[in-house]
Amino acid sequence: MMTDKRQLLIDTALTLFTERGINLVGINEVLKVSGVAKKTLYHHFSSKEALIVAVLETRHQIFIHWLSKRLTIAQNDPGVIDALFGALDDWFNDRVPELSQFHGCLFINSAIECGDSRCQVSRFAKFHKQAVRELIGRCLSQPNEALLDLICLMKEGAIVSAMVSQDKGAALRSQVQLQRLVPTLI
C-alpha cells in the first residue's frame, strides 16, 4: 500500500511539475491533489528536492523507453534523424499520450528553475541529456561525434523553440536541415 502512495505522489507531482514547473507547485498542492497525507510524503521523500528527483527518474524512464522504441526502427543514419525528429514532432504536437501534453522539456525546465548546476535536480537533468545522447549515438551506424553533436544540438534547439516560441514545426525543420548536412558528415 505504501508503494502505491509513493507512486501516486510521483505521478501527481510529475503532472503538476510538467504543467506548471517545480517552483510554482508546492508540497501542499501535491498533497491536496494526490490526497496523500504529509506524513506519508515525508516517509517516502526527505524533501521537495527528493520528490523532484524521483519525478525526474520516472520521467527519464518513460522518455527513454518511448524514444528507444521510436529510434530502433531506423535502418541507417538518415533514418535515425527521421525517427528522432518525427518523434519530437509528435511530442511537440501532443500525439504522444505517455509523455502528456507538451510543456517543454521537464529536465531543461527543472535545471533552469533549480538555478544551481550542483544541485541534485540539475545533475539528474545532465544525466538524462547524456543518456539521450548515448541512445542516439548507439543508433547511429558508426561512431561519428560531429554528427552526434549536430543532432543533439538541433534536438535541444527544436525543444526550446517549440516551448518558448510555440514553434510546433521546429522538429520537422530541424530534420530537413540535418538531412541536407548529413552527406557531408558521414
Side-chain angles (χ1 to χ4, degrees):
M1 188 75 161
M2 285 293 201
T3 305
D4 294 339
K5 288 189 178 185
R6 181 182 190 282
Q7 193 60 51
L8 176 60
L9 288 164
I10 290 170
D11 293 344
T12 302
L14 175 58
T15 299
L16 294 170
F17 294 160
T18 300
E19 289 175 0
R20 299 208 336 265
I22 61 174
N23 289 337
L24 292 178
V25 176
I27 290 294
N28 289 335
E29 185 173 359
V30 173
L31 294 172
K32 180 179 177 184
V33 173
S34 68
V36 174
K38 187 177 274 193
K39 182 178 178 182
T40 302
L41 180 133
Y42 285 110
H43 171 75
H44 294 290
F45 306 103
S46 60
S47 64
K48 182 179 179 183
E49 184 178 50
L51 174 61
I52 294 166
V53 171
V55 165
L56 292 177
E57 289 170 346
T58 297
R59 179 62 172 206
H60 170 75
Q61 293 301 321
I62 294 166
F63 191 89
I64 289 291
H65 179 74
W66 165 75
L67 187 58
S68 181
K69 284 192 320 187
R70 295 294 298 261
L71 294 180
T72 56
I73 62 169
Q75 302 294 315
N76 53 32
D77 293 350
V80 171
I81 292 168
D82 289 345
L84 173 63
F85 287 92
L88 292 176
D89 184 63
D90 286 345
W91 179 34
F92 299 167
N93 290 285
D94 301 324
R95 296 186 297 258
V96 184
E98 61 264 42
L99 296 182
S100 68
Q101 186 177 7
F102 180 75
H103 293 282
C105 173
L106 182 60
F107 300 94
I108 293 171
N109 297 346
S110 297
I112 291 168
E113 287 189 65
C114 178
D116 178 358
S117 63
R118 297 165 301 184
C119 78
Q120 276 188 292
V121 171
S122 291
R123 286 196 319 261
F124 195 89
K126 181 179 179 181
F127 163 80
H128 169 76
K129 293 299 181 177
Q130 185 61 38
V132 171
R133 178 186 173 87
E134 290 170 7
L135 171 61
I136 295 166
R138 285 191 306 273
C139 292
L140 294 174
S141 60
Q142 54 188 292
N144 184 333
E145 287 300 310
L147 178 58
L148 184 56
D149 283 345
L150 187 57
I151 290 170
C152 290
L153 288 169
M154 294 289 281
K155 171 185 68 73
E156 295 302 325
I159 292 168
V160 171
S161 291
M163 175 59 186
V164 174
S165 302
Q166 298 297 298
D167 182 359
K168 302 298 183 178
L172 296 182
R173 281 195 318 287
S174 296
Q175 177 183 355
V176 167
Q177 295 306 320
L178 275 167
Q179 291 296 9
R180 288 182 183 153
L181 293 171
V182 165
T184 64
L185 294 172
I186 296 178

